[in-house]
Amino acid sequence: MRDTTLLNKCLGIKYTHVERVEFTREGLICDVRPTTRVARCSGCGCKVRSLYDQREKRLWRHLDLAGMKWHLRYALRRVNCRRCGVMTELVPWAAAGSWFTFAFEQTVAFLAQAAAKTVVSAMMRVAWATVGSIIMRVVDRMLPGDPLDGLVEIGVDELSYRKHHEYVTIVTDHVRNRVVWAHPGKNADTLRRFFEELGKERCAKIRTLTIDMSQAYIAAAKEAVPQATLVFDRFHVQRLVHDALDQLRREEVRSVERPEDKRALKKSRFALQKNPWNLSGIEQAKLTEVQRTNRRLYRGYLLKESLAEILDLPDAGIAKNKLLEWTSWASHSQLTPFARVARTIDKYIEGIIAYVATGLSNARAEGTNGKIRAITRRSFGFHSAWSLIAMIFLCCSGLTLRPAHAHPALPRTHPT
């Protein structure tokens, strides 16, 4: 079998023919050409018979062969397209403007879904930054359809990915459980950009939007989707009372004089913050001691637990009445941190009750954020928000990739 015939079978790319083989110090170079006679424009994909010129030969990196680097070499032609003007021709083995074959890029993206960029860079023998640019191209090429189509219930949350308050706003589809949009920033203009891309017709179909109590997000949501029900995330509501309870504990620590009392209150933090069914024997004893010695702090603990019970109620009408009773109790409790929380809950009570009615929260978005933070840690950070966004869509948008395995076409065998 001739060497070019063998490599044609190993290459396995449609409409591509190997003409010549050359070994170098790094590996293997194959001179290839498209089997189609008429060139296609890389801009619109249309056939173009009018050629403009032909450039010098260039290389595309392909998957390694027997541990050797494998490059494809071809002299690209430029075509004079009526629609796009002078453009390079479209080749069947690589995307326009890329220095890597489709199979190489797909393998890099497949590995990046499960491994750190440094590992992928070492294994595929490309630069660390090149892995990021390949991921961005694969995501743009392989995301199925428009992810913004069919949105009915969505969640909006922000993620801090660098120091100095660098944020990314992330929109999650509750129905399909995947990220559908992301953009740098966390202000109202960032969310308005999402609704602009969504368009008025698709905005009118949004029924529910889960969100934290950010004034910027609330203003943008009410402006773009006034018909949608705003649901305030339970986690953020309960965090208000947890923070108030911890602030009250610190105030009580400062107010007591005996060192042993200060030490006991300092060590009661986790006993006060945990759910009752998760308390160990020692923590239960600490909570009993707080009940005996510090009634103000124990009153704050009861406020925290009663709010959680209200949010667990199955009926929205009963939950609203109980929540109004809770805000009255907190306002008259003589506990300043809880009085502030009561004013906040009074302001956002409709969105909080909407959680009880719909059962929706930003739990999916928070879970996605946890996954994204793991991706950020294993990548040791990102140079730009767009590199992070490409990784978010690669790992959290429902994109399924497979390794670029090739199967050579073997001749049929007939039974003897």
Side-chain angles (χ1 to χ4, degrees):
M1 181 183 290
R2 295 174 57 189
D3 53 356
T4 53
T5 304
L6 174 63
L7 288 170
N8 269 313
K9 291 185 177 294
C10 292
L11 189 61
I13 301 177
K14 288 184 177 181
Y15 312 114
T16 304
H17 179 71
V18 178
E19 293 185 319
R20 184 172 170 272
V21 181
E22 177 185 345
F23 284 94
T24 65
R25 298 181 65 179
E26 286 193 342
L28 182 68
I29 296 178
C30 291
D31 286 302
V32 297
R33 63 171 176 82
T35 57
T36 53
R37 294 182 179 180
V38 181
R40 289 183 177 271
C41 172
S42 60
C44 60
C46 295
K47 292 182 178 180
V48 182
R49 297 184 180 275
S50 175
L51 297 180
Y52 185 77
D53 63 6
Q54 189 167 16
R55 295 188 167 186
E56 296 181 357
K57 289 185 177 182
R58 53 164 291 188
L59 299 176
W60 288 265
R61 176 76 182 280
H62 191 49
L63 294 173
D64 291 355
L65 180 65
M68 298 182 296
K69 286 186 178 181
W70 190 1
H71 288 87
L72 307 184
R73 184 166 58 189
Y74 175 67
L76 270 177
R77 297 171 292 178
R78 290 200 295 175
V79 297
N80 194 359
C81 179
R82 292 181 180 180
R83 299 180 181 179
C84 308
V86 178
M87 299 287 292
T88 57
E89 69 172 310
L90 186 66
V91 293
W93 55 82
S98 174
W99 295 85
F100 305 91
T101 64
F102 288 121
F104 188 92
E105 291 190 339
Q106 183 173 343
T107 302
V108 168
F110 171 78
L111 293 172
Q113 282 186 325
K117 275 187 175 182
T118 307
V119 175
V120 180
S121 173
M123 182 174 180
M124 302 303 291
R125 291 188 282 188
V126 292
W128 189 88
T130 303
V131 176
S133 60
I134 288 175
I135 290 170
M136 294 175 73
R137 283 197 298 271
V138 172
V139 168
D140 290 340
R141 185 168 65 241
M142 300 195 68
L143 271 180
D146 189 348
L148 301 184
D149 282 341
L151 295 181
V152 177
E153 297 175 347
I154 60 175
V156 179
D157 202 4
E158 77 278 354
L159 173 74
S160 173
Y161 72 97
R162 288 179 69 180
K163 294 180 180 179
H164 310 297
H165 302 287
E166 297 285 347
Y167 289 92
V168 171
T169 296
I170 300 171
V171 179
T172 307
D173 182 6
H174 285 301
V175 178
R176 291 175 289 183
N177 192 19
R178 63 183 59 174
V179 173
V180 295
W181 190 85
H183 196 276
K186 56 168 278 187
N187 52 22
D189 290 336
T190 307
L191 192 56
R192 287 192 188 102
R193 184 187 294 269
F194 163 71
F195 290 121
E196 288 173 4
E197 294 184 21
L198 193 61
K200 291 184 178 180
E201 291 185 5
R202 293 188 291 190
C203 281
K205 298 178 182 178
I206 300 295
R207 294 200 305 261
T208 309
L209 191 151
T210 60
I211 201 170
D212 59 18
M213 287 174 281
S214 165
Q215 284 293 336
Y217 286 164
I218 292 171
K222 287 184 175 180
E223 177 186 323
V225 286
Q227 81 288 347
T229 301
L230 294 185
V231 179
F232 294 123
D233 183 44
R234 174 174 180 162
F235 169 80
H236 291 87
V237 176
Q238 286 196 238
R239 194 172 75 175
L240 292 175
V241 292
H242 280 267
D243 291 344
L245 181 60
D246 200 47
Q247 183 180 348
L248 178 62
R249 182 189 59 83
R250 290 195 296 269
E251 290 176 359
E252 293 300 307
V253 169
R254 289 192 292 268
S255 66
V256 298
E257 297 180 356
R258 295 175 58 188
E260 55 270 23
D261 292 340
K262 286 182 178 288
R263 193 179 307 110
L265 286 176
K266 284 182 179 180
K267 293 184 178 181
S268 67
R269 177 186 177 187
F270 293 107
L272 292 166
Q273 297 287 349
K274 290 174 71 173
N275 292 317
W277 56 86
N278 286 332
L279 293 174
S280 65
I282 295 176
E283 290 168 338
Q284 185 64 56
K286 290 179 179 179
L287 188 60
T288 303
E289 184 65 17
V290 169
Q291 181 182 6
R292 188 181 66 84
T293 60
N294 196 311
R295 292 189 176 183
R296 281 173 52 84
L297 187 55
Y298 191 71
R299 193 185 314 144
Y301 172 79
L302 293 177
L303 282 165
K304 186 261 293 186
E305 288 300 318
S306 59
L307 180 63
E309 291 178 1
I310 292 171
L311 296 178
D312 284 331
L313 291 173
D315 185 89
I318 297 174
K320 185 172 183 179
N321 292 333
K322 292 292 183 182
L323 197 57
L324 290 173
E325 293 176 5
W326 186 94
T327 56
S328 176
W329 178 22
S331 299
H332 296 86
S333 64
Q334 298 181 352
L335 305 177
T336 304
F338 282 91
R340 285 197 294 266
V341 173
R343 290 193 293 270
T344 302
I345 290 179
D346 269 333
K347 183 178 180 181
Y348 299 111
I349 190 168
E350 294 301 328
I352 297 170
I353 295 302
Y355 159 75
V356 179
T358 62
L360 289 175
S361 69
N362 263 2
R364 286 191 177 93
E366 294 294 340
T368 300
N369 285 355
K371 185 175 181 179
I372 294 169
R373 288 189 183 94
I375 293 169
T376 307
R377 284 194 295 270
R378 81 183 186 200
S379 301
F380 297 98
F382 292 92
H383 291 301
S384 70
W386 294 110
S387 297
L388 171 61
I389 289 170
M391 282 297 298
I392 291 172
F393 276 99
L394 181 70
C395 301
C396 306
S397 65
L399 185 61
T400 302
L401 296 177
R402 299 182 183 276
H405 292 157
H407 303 281
L410 299 177
R412 293 184 178 180
T413 56
H414 297 279
T416 57

